[in-house]
Amino acid sequence: MATIAVQEIRPPTLSATSDPPPIFDGTTRLYISYSCPFAQRVWITRNYKGLQEKIKLVPIDLQNKPAWYKEKVHPEGKVPSLEHDGKILVESIDLIKYIDVNFEGPSLYPNDPTKKEFGDQLIKYVDIFTKEMFGSFKGDPVTQTSATYDYLENALGKYEDGPFFLGEFSLVDIAYITFVERFQLVSSEIYKHDITAGRPKLATWIEEVNKNNAYKQTKPENPQEFVDFVKKRFLGQ
């Protein structure tokens, strides 16, 4: 796995009282939140391609957003956003594809047309996956999500040239891992269920992604925060 290992000090989060950066000064900036799984996808992509010096991280406090962020960057105040070439680009899946194509560094999508087609299918499915996961929290997540995790297990068995969805690490793995690990923690902590039980390929995949420096450097410092979010938002706790 050809990640470029650069250890990075996380810049401080900008809040309502923080001054804006000099927007549209030619600097490429990635606006994120350290706790957001959507933004994390783009952060991983940046790291994997070794773009720490080319794309500056700008973390935003989503609970106490600076007014300038909505006015000048993202009208809805969401993350991630990418400031590049005088434009603001949004939506995490679009952004990971954009960075892979428009910046230097190791490619994160295969040239093989069969793998590319399968990758496209899996990336389309990721929205269904996340909606089903969130939708299950008010019901019986263990039963309701079983077929969804089985889908991932089967997909991970399609190629034998590596432990990842397309054999080698790709945008598909990035699209899923930020949510799978959060849902894995919620399933274990709240519902006392192991999503990898009976799914050895899923277990291996999670282990292998966790060996990737580009991913490890983006992991939440307080993973319990997502568990607390689910308890409050969906379970009234």
Side-chain angles (χ1 to χ4, degrees), residues 44-210:
I44 296 166
T45 305
R46 162 199 182 260
N47 289 0
Y48 187 89
K49 294 180 77 71
L51 298 167
Q52 287 87 340
E53 297 297 322
K54 297 274 179 76
I55 301 178
K56 182 181 173 66
L57 275 189
V58 184
I60 301 294
D61 183 348
L62 295 181
Q63 307 308 315
N64 188 24
K65 289 188 206 87
W68 55 259
Y69 183 68
K70 287 185 74 172
E71 291 165 5
K72 299 181 179 180
V73 182
H74 196 309
E76 295 177 39
K78 296 179 180 179
V79 292
S81 297
L82 182 72
E83 176 189 340
H84 183 233
D85 279 351
K87 303 186 298 285
I88 298 292
L89 307 161
V90 297
E91 298 298 335
S92 64
I93 294 297
D94 293 340
L95 288 179
I96 63 176
K97 292 177 180 178
Y98 180 86
I99 289 174
D100 191 40
V101 169
N102 289 282
F103 290 84
E104 63 191 43
S107 175
L108 277 160
Y109 222 54
N111 291 319
D112 178 276
T114 306
K115 283 191 174 184
K116 193 176 286 187
E117 183 181 359
F118 187 55
D120 290 346
Q121 288 175 19
L122 289 170
I123 285 178
K124 282 181 183 173
Y125 183 74
V126 75
D127 282 342
I128 297 170
F129 169 76
T130 53
K131 283 173 186 170
E132 287 184 354
M133 292 298 115
F134 280 117
S136 73
F137 291 143
K138 288 190 173 180
D140 177 5
V142 177
T143 304
Q144 288 176 240
T145 63
S146 180
T148 311
Y149 285 120
D150 287 345
Y151 177 91
L152 298 188
E153 177 74 9
N154 292 333
L156 285 162
K158 186 170 177 69
Y159 294 107
E160 296 182 354
D161 54 340
F164 305 105
F165 282 106
L166 304 181
E168 293 185 0
F169 187 73
S170 74
L171 295 180
V172 179
D173 304 292
I174 291 172
Y176 280 92
I177 190 60
T178 64
F179 283 97
V180 170
E181 283 224 303
R182 283 169 171 82
F183 293 143
Q184 181 185 33
L185 184 61
V186 167
S187 188
S188 173
E189 294 256 331
I190 299 178
Y191 303 102
K192 312 304 177 191
H193 175 67
D194 179 6
I195 64 169
T196 66
R199 300 184 183 101
K201 291 182 177 64
L202 184 62
T204 299
W205 174 74
I206 293 170
E207 287 173 17
E208 291 298 319
V209 176
N210 271 280

